[in-house]
Amino acid sequence: MLKKIDRGAAFLAKHAELFWCPNCQSKMHYQSKSLVCQNGHRFDLAKKGTLYFLTHQVKTEYDAAMFEPRGRLIKAGMYQPVLEQLAEWIVPGNLLDVGCGEGSFLAELNRLKKNPVNVGFDISKAGIYLATNQPIDAFWCMADLTNLPFAPASFETILNIFTPSHYQEFKRVLKPGGSVIKVVPQSGYLKELREVYHPGQNYSNQAVIERFKSELHVQAQTRVTYEYEIPAENRLDLLEMSPLEWQVDPAVKARLQADPLKKITIDLEILKGN
């Protein structure tokens, strides 16, 4: 079995044309476990087979303590109907997972519908390092959404699940006829958890949906809503899997830990546009 760095090197040797330099926006080529641009900027593979493309330090609260429980819930089937819809809409080809976190969504998607070329990126080193453990043929890197290290017209599909968008960059790296598939939480998403953590707070992402529609031609749109019965072994995972728990009173958390939720509402808008 290949080491992670050798798997990463094999991917870069085969697909170097997908990348371009985030420093000078020039083409890159593969050279001895590195990508090097024509102006000499060099990006070396880490031991885990990942590349660091960030041109400045980025602070993030997204860490392993959040990604690990999220990954367990994704694998337990919490988003199975959503994944099935995504698999139906994805055209096999070069796929970019924006804000991939620990890589569970991409791994589960490939279990449903194998895709030939998969790239995931995030600003969180913890997420990317966890993603390298996924049982999937994919390349993982740390990159900036506003300055993607990918060549123009490189991807058939951009996957944008629960993460911010940068449509100018999306349009640049999409192939002609390629699509962005975006998953947006709707008003009922995790409502039982929200009612405990943030009672009385209204929740709407309508502005995000309207922005998508203003930037792209909508090819398909659907709302997926259902109630998920949380397996007993994953009920505490729910409390730690999202930013919802940040800044919540410890006493509130303790009460929910003592009597965790058994069901949770999933309410998501899925849009496909080009």
Side-chain angles (χ1 to χ4, degrees), residues 4 7 48 102 128-136 140:
K4 290 179 180 180
R7 291 205 306 268
K48 291 185 179 291
E102 82 297 337
I128 291 300
Y129 279 6
L130 286 171
T132 65
N133 298 320
Q134 295 291 353
I136 176 181
W140 311 98

Side-chain angles (χ1 to χ4, degrees), residues 21-181:
C21 181
N23 293 326
C24 63
Q25 289 71 54
S26 63
K27 292 181 180 179
M28 291 197 283
H29 64 275
Y30 174 73
Q31 183 183 95
S32 184
K33 296 184 178 177
S34 301
L35 286 180
V36 184
C37 82
Q38 61 192 30
N39 293 315
H41 298 119
R42 186 182 188 95
F43 302 87
D44 300 322
L45 280 170
K47 289 182 179 179
K48 291 185 179 291
T50 62
L51 282 179
Y52 187 92
F53 285 115
L54 294 171
T55 57
H56 57 279
Q57 291 291 328
V58 176
K59 289 186 178 181
T60 176
E61 295 182 80
Y62 288 76
D63 57 14
M66 190 192 79
F67 285 128
E68 288 172 344
R70 188 184 88 149
R72 289 191 291 268
L73 279 164
I74 292 170
K75 286 179 172 61
M78 183 169 170
Y79 297 97
Q80 189 65 22
V82 180
L83 289 162
E84 289 171 1
Q85 181 63 75
L86 294 176
E88 184 179 321
W89 283 358
I90 289 172
V91 175
N94 297 345
L95 185 152
L96 178 63
D97 188 2
V98 173
C100 63
E102 82 297 337
S104 296
F105 278 124
L106 193 53
E108 290 300 300
L109 268 174
N110 270 262
R111 188 178 58 80
L112 292 172
K113 184 178 183 180
K114 196 167 181 63
N115 188 67
V117 179
N118 304 284
V119 178
F121 80 88
D122 205 285
I123 61 169
S124 169
K125 183 182 290 187
I128 291 300
Y129 279 6
L130 286 171
T132 65
N133 298 320
Q134 295 291 353
I136 176 181
D137 184 13
F139 186 80
W140 311 98
C141 56
M142 280 155 280
D144 181 355
L145 175 67
T146 67
N147 182 27
L148 296 179
F150 307 112
S154 293
F155 294 95
E156 273 85 7
T157 303
I158 292 176
L159 201 57
N160 194 203
I161 304 176
F162 302 152
T163 56
S165 304
H166 194 286
Y167 292 106
Q168 182 178 343
E169 282 290 87
F170 288 178
K171 293 171 186 177
R172 180 181 65 78
V173 303
L174 272 181
K175 289 186 176 183
S179 300
V180 177
I181 302 178

Side-chain angles (χ1 to χ4, degrees), residues 111-274:
R111 188 178 58 80
L112 292 172
K113 184 178 183 180
K114 196 167 181 63
N115 188 67
V117 179
N118 304 284
V119 178
F121 80 88
D122 205 285
I123 61 169
S124 169
K125 183 182 290 187
I128 291 300
Y129 279 6
L130 286 171
T132 65
N133 298 320
Q134 295 291 353
I136 176 181
D137 184 13
F139 186 80
W140 311 98
C141 56
M142 280 155 280
D144 181 355
L145 175 67
T146 67
N147 182 27
L148 296 179
F150 307 112
S154 293
F155 294 95
E156 273 85 7
T157 303
I158 292 176
L159 201 57
N160 194 203
I161 304 176
F162 302 152
T163 56
S165 304
H166 194 286
Y167 292 106
Q168 182 178 343
E169 282 290 87
F170 288 178
K171 293 171 186 177
R172 180 181 65 78
V173 303
L174 272 181
K175 289 186 176 183
S179 300
V180 177
I181 302 178
K182 187 170 181 66
V183 180
V184 182
Q186 272 284 13
S187 57
Y189 182 60
L190 305 184
K191 64 180 182 181
E192 297 85 353
L193 190 59
R194 291 180 185 281
E195 286 167 5
V196 176
Y197 280 169
H198 306 287
Q201 186 180 86
N202 291 325
Y203 182 73
S204 173
N205 272 317
Q206 193 57 39
V208 175
I209 294 169
E210 294 305 320
R211 175 69 187 277
F212 183 95
K213 292 179 177 180
S214 71
E215 292 283 353
L216 300 168
H217 168 69
V218 177
Q219 300 166 282
Q221 179 177 358
T222 189
R223 186 167 179 171
V224 179
T225 305
Y226 56 93
E227 195 174 66
Y228 175 67
E229 292 196 17
I230 310 165
E233 63 271 23
N234 295 117
R235 287 171 187 165
L236 292 180
D237 286 333
L238 179 72
L239 311 185
E240 305 293 337
M241 64 158 284
S242 80
L244 280 177
E245 59 98 13
W246 296 348
Q247 281 80 53
V248 171
D249 187 327
V252 174
K253 289 185 186 180
R255 286 196 297 272
L256 200 51
Q257 286 168 347
D259 185 20
L261 296 169
K262 297 175 178 60
K263 295 181 180 180
I264 195 73
T265 298
I266 305 299
D267 183 18
L268 301 169
E269 198 80 18
I270 312 177
L271 303 104
K272 180 179 182 179
N274 63 9

